């Protein structure tokens, strides 16, 4: 049963974990899709700005024209590769402010509702002439050469398009009195990037509903699982307690019943019938066992009362006096056992209002427990505060581990250890004591550790 329950709990937790992973995966996918569709939409809005705005177009033409002249010089070997790139940077830098201004002007007309920046990066510059393929710049996978547009960090950019500027040049030039012919093809590849201010916040906002809903569903499923597991554990505990109780009561009933059956058998025998003294003894045994059985049944019935069902008949008693009498009786009942009972009473006796009968039984239950569970010394102390009186019963017995303490006052509960099961009991004593003190609007607390004895503190408010 326990193994089955544990398996069930582990399987449910694993199921919940798997569900969370699937949910996380789906949310991540939705995020990617939303991001893609958002970038596509933004791209659609801005893709034409660069190519179809006349002012931007003329800026593009201007740098291209100047750059071609630089390349002409390079093809005639009058300048170096490095110089070509430095020139390109100088040309674009000089035009960049105008470019950004025009771009932003155009962007304003789109009314996007969010801030957007744009820039172009160079990925490849290749010159092909009749002899060779000459790579002037190669950005590989990570283009680093910004051409036109605003500066923004690489990790924030969203690539929107690639473009190639392909042109052919054929010209002649007089150098040092000689006419030189030159021909080349240019492949100028660029990539366009945009940066949208807080684009991830925008995408998250679009997913807010979904995130909240999945969180609620997750909480709901988690709550259900938690509730079911808790229920399962409680049910298991109740069923264990019931089984224990049935075992205990059967055990308790067995002895008087066996004695009764023996006594009946004896009563049938002629020698007993004819022997007056033997007959009386046997009848006494039957009587005693009958009383014992009756007591057991009464104990179960009476001690099962809840505090609301207890009707108190409170009377005025002097605490020291009341406790003195109670402990004297208790000492008589344990006379043959070697147990020391210490008393620390109040300096000045006080009057309290309690139901003598119920409180006596409640305290005796605790005192009997101390003796039952291994104490050789019991120390009863009384305290008087402004609001309540306290009766503390301290013993040096086997003690109770922390995790068992929460259940001690439950009906039929007994600490599940071998030592305890050697001691008879129904697990009703502390339940009953607690109900009695509760009926007096007080409470019982316990301080104990395994093998370190126990202190039961009974607090009753003064009226
Ligand atoms: P009964 O109904 O006959 O009193 P019981 O003594 O087993 O049976 P409770 O008095 O309710 O039942 O006590 C519940 C359990 O708490 C006991 O079975 C025992 O394990 C533990 N317990 C109670 N008092 C002490 C104590 N002073 N020291 C150690 N364990 C204790
Ligand atoms: Mg008891």
């Amino acid at each position: 049963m326990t193994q089955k329950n544990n398996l069930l709990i582990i399987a449910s937790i694993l199921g919940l974990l798997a569900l969370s992973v699937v949910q996380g995966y789906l949310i991540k996918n939705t995020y990617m899709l939303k991001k893609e569709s958002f970038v596509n939409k933004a791209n659609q809005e801005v893709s034409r700005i660069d190519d179809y705005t006349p002012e931007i177009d003329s800026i593009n033409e201007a740098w291209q024209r100047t750059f071609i002249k630089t390349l002409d010089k390079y093809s005639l070997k009058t300048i170096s590769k490095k110089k070509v790139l430095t020139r390109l940077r100088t040309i674009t830098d000089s035009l960049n402010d105008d470019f950004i201004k025009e771009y932003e002007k155009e962007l304003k007309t789109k009314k996007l509702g969010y801030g957007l920046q744009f820039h172009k990066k160079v990925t490849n510059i290749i010159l092909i002439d009749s002899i060779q393929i000459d790579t002037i710049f190669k950005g590989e996978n990570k283009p680093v050469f910004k051409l036109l547009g605003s500066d923004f960090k690489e990790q924030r950019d969203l690539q929107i398009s690639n473009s190639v500027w392909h042109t052919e040049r054929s010209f002649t030039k007089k150098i040092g009195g000689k006419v030189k012919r030159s021909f080349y093809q240019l492949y100028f590849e660029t990539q366009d990037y945009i940066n949208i201010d807080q684009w991830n916040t925008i995408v998250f906002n679009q997913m807010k509903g979904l995130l909240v809903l999945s969180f609620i569903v997750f909480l709901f499923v988690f709550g259900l699982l938690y509730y079911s597991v808790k229920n399962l554990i409680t049910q298991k505990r109740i069923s264990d307690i019931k089984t224990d109780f049935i075992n205990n009561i059967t055990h308790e009933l067995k002895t008087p019943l066996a004695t009764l059956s023996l006594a009946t058998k004896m009563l049938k025998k002629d020698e007993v019938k004819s022997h007056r003294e033997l007959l009386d003894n046997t009848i006494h045994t039957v009587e005693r066992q009958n009383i014992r059985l009756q007591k057991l049944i009464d104990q179960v019935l009476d001690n099962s009362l809840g505090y609301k069902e207890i009707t108190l008949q409170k009377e005025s008693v002097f605490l020291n006096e009341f406790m003195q009498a109670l402990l004297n009786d208790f000492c008589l009942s344990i006379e043959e056992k070697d147990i020391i009972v210490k008393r620390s009473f109040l300096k000045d006796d006080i009057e309290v209002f309690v139901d003598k009968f119920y409180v006596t039984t409640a305290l005796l239950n605790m005192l009997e427990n101390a003796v039952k569970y291994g104490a050789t010394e019991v120390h009863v102390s009384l305290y008087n505060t402004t609001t309540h009186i306290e009766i503390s019963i301290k013993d040096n017995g086997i003690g109770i581990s922390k995790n068992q303490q929460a259940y001690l006052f439950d009906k039929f509960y007994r600490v599940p250890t071998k030592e305890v099961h050697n001691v008879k009991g129904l697990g009703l004593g502390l339940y009953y004591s607690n109900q009695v003190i509760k009926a007096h609007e007080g409470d019982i607390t316990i301080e104990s550790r395994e093998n370190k004895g126990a202190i039961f503190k009974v607090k009753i408010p003064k009226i």
Side-chain angles (χ1 to χ4, degrees):
M1 173 73 178
T2 320
Q3 207 180 359
K4 228 176 175 181
N5 277 353
N6 286 346
L7 277 178
L8 209 71
I9 293 168
I10 292 170
S12 319
I13 292 171
L14 286 181
L16 189 70
L17 279 179
L19 204 73
S20 316
V21 171
V22 171
Q23 208 173 8
Y25 177 74
L26 290 177
I27 289 175
K28 191 182 157 221
N29 266 4
T30 316
Y31 172 75
M32 299 305 277
L33 285 174
K34 286 255 180 211
K35 179 188 160 186
E36 211 174 295
S37 106
F38 175 66
V39 173
N40 280 344
K41 224 167 130 199
N43 185 11
Q44 267 171 21
E45 297 278 2
V46 298
S47 61
R48 291 175 162 252
I49 296 181
D50 182 37
D51 298 328
Y52 294 93
T53 312
E55 288 80 5
I56 291 178
D57 224 26
S58 58
I59 293 171
N60 277 332
E61 270 171 23
W63 76 259
Q64 282 175 348
R65 231 179 298 120
T66 330
F67 185 55
I68 282 290
K69 279 186 195 146
T70 313
L71 282 180
D72 285 354
K73 282 185 192 151
Y74 173 73
S75 75
L76 293 169
K77 310 262 181 299
T78 52
I79 56 169
S80 69
K81 230 182 233 184
K82 209 173 154 200
K83 184 88 183 161
V84 175
L85 293 176
T86 329
R87 287 287 317 226
L88 178 60
R89 210 179 280 275
T90 325
I91 301 163
T92 47
D93 282 354
S94 68
L95 292 167
N96 205 28
D97 284 349
D98 285 344
F99 177 86
I100 294 174
K101 213 161 83 194
E102 290 303 332
Y103 197 92
E104 281 176 354
K105 209 159 90 189
E106 198 53 33
L107 209 58
K108 258 190 196 145
T109 63
K110 303 270 175 201
K111 293 196 174 69
L112 293 178
Y114 47 81
L116 183 145
Q117 291 165 308
F118 170 91
H119 69 209
K120 249 180 201 309
K121 279 180 183 174
V122 181
T123 43
N124 283 314
I125 307 174
I126 300 165
L127 273 193
I128 304 170
D129 60 21
S130 49
I131 312 164
Q132 60 171 349
I133 297 173
D134 186 3
T135 305
I136 295 176
F137 178 78
K138 194 160 177 62
E140 303 273 32
N141 298 328
K142 206 169 165 235
V144 284
F145 198 130
K146 197 202 88 193
L147 201 63
L148 284 169
S150 319
D151 286 322
F152 50 84
K153 281 192 188 133
E154 219 164 88
Q155 58 266 40
R156 300 202 52 185
D157 56 18
L158 304 161
Q159 190 187 341
I160 53 168
S161 59
N162 293 325
S163 48
V164 181
W165 166 35
H166 175 217
T167 183
E168 285 183 4
R169 282 285 286 163
S170 171
F171 65 94
T172 53
K173 187 142 186 155
K174 237 182 178 176
I175 298 172
K178 278 190 184 167
V179 177
K180 279 207 170 182
R181 272 189 72 79
S182 186
F183 168 80
Y184 66 84
Q185 286 185 45
L186 168 70
Y187 284 91
F188 195 102
E189 284 178 23
T190 52
Q191 285 179 348
D192 293 349
Y193 288 87
I194 54 170
N195 167 43
I196 296 169
D197 291 342
Q198 294 170 327
W199 63 265
N200 34 13
T201 319
I202 299 170
V203 173
F204 265 120
N205 272 346
Q206 287 177 357
M207 289 175 60
K208 215 154 55 188
L210 179 79
L211 286 175
V212 170
L213 195 73
S214 23
F215 185 67
I216 291 173
V217 170
F218 177 81
L219 271 190
F220 182 68
V221 175
F222 182 79
L224 273 187
L225 182 72
Y226 175 77
Y227 182 74
S228 318
V229 169
K230 211 176 143 205
N231 237 358
L232 205 72
I233 293 170
T234 316
Q235 293 299 332
K236 166 88 176 66
R237 211 171 63 76
I238 291 173
S239 125
D240 285 353
I241 286 173
K242 278 188 181 157
T243 318
D244 276 359
F245 172 68
I246 291 167
N247 289 343
N248 288 335
I249 194 98
T250 327
H251 183 78
E252 296 276 307
L253 290 172
K254 252 186 193 162
T255 332
L257 283 175
T259 323
L260 274 177
S261 125
L262 207 74
T264 346
K265 265 187 207 151
M266 280 179 75
L267 282 176
K268 281 185 191 158
K269 286 185 184 163
D270 287 337
E271 65 249 49
V272 176
K273 277 181 198 163
S274 56
H275 197 300
R276 181 80 207 167
E277 204 181 329
L278 215 53
L279 186 70
D280 280 352
N281 272 347
T282 319
I283 290 171
H284 269 132
T285 313
V286 173
E287 213 173 11
R288 265 204 320 276
Q289 295 311 325
N290 200 9
I291 293 169
R292 196 167 160 193
L293 280 177
Q294 191 61 49
K295 262 191 175 167
L296 257 177
I297 304 292
D298 288 347
Q299 193 187 350
V300 175
L301 291 177
D302 294 349
N303 289 4
S304 295
L305 285 184
Y307 70 99
K308 283 179 189 152
E309 293 145 317
I310 298 175
T311 326
L312 297 177
Q313 279 173 354
K314 285 190 188 178
E315 55 189 296
S316 160
V317 288
F318 284 95
L319 189 60
N320 278 353
E321 202 182 303
F322 167 66
M323 287 304 292
Q324 196 75 7
L326 188 146
L327 287 177
N328 287 347
D329 287 350
F330 172 67
C331 286
L332 276 181
S333 72
I334 55 161
E335 213 171 22
E336 71 268 29
K337 290 182 185 132
D338 208 7
I339 288 165
I340 305 163
V341 179
K342 285 187 177 171
R343 310 166 196 211
S344 301
F345 283 5
L346 299 175
K347 238 163 72 206
D348 302 311
D349 205 355
I350 61 154
E351 211 179 351
V352 284
F353 283 91
V354 289
D355 185 311
K356 256 171 114 176
F357 171 77
Y358 278 117
V359 174
T360 306
T361 324
L363 294 174
L364 279 179
N365 276 347
M366 282 180 265
L367 290 164
E368 273 161 16
N369 275 352
V371 176
K372 263 164 87 176
Y373 304 108
T376 52
E377 188 179 302
V378 184
H379 189 167
V380 180
S381 315
L382 304 180
Y383 301 94
N384 175 22
T385 74
T386 45
T387 52
H388 57 261
I389 53 137
E390 185 183 306
I391 303 159
S392 144
I393 300 170
K394 183 179 172 192
D395 69 55
N396 62 347
I398 57 168
I400 304 136
S401 68
K402 273 258 170 306
N403 52 348
Q404 301 292 333
Q405 290 175 14
Y407 311 122
L408 278 196
F409 300 105
D410 290 358
K411 217 182 218 178
F412 306 130
Y413 189 78
R414 305 196 76 212
V415 175
T417 61
K418 268 190 210 149
E419 283 147 275
V420 170
H421 286 295
N422 290 338
V423 183
K424 280 181 200 165
L426 297 176
L428 278 170
L430 281 182
Y431 167 79
Y432 178 72
S433 302
N434 194 34
Q435 297 306 311
V436 168
I437 303 303
K438 259 178 150 178
H440 282 82
E441 288 165 32
D443 63 37
I444 307 179
T445 49
I446 169 172
E447 283 168 28
S448 180
R449 271 191 297 152
E450 222 169 343
N451 302 319
K452 291 274 186 280
I455 309 176
F456 285 86
K457 288 181 178 169
V458 179
K459 280 186 191 168
I460 300 176
K462 297 200 281 196
I463 319 161

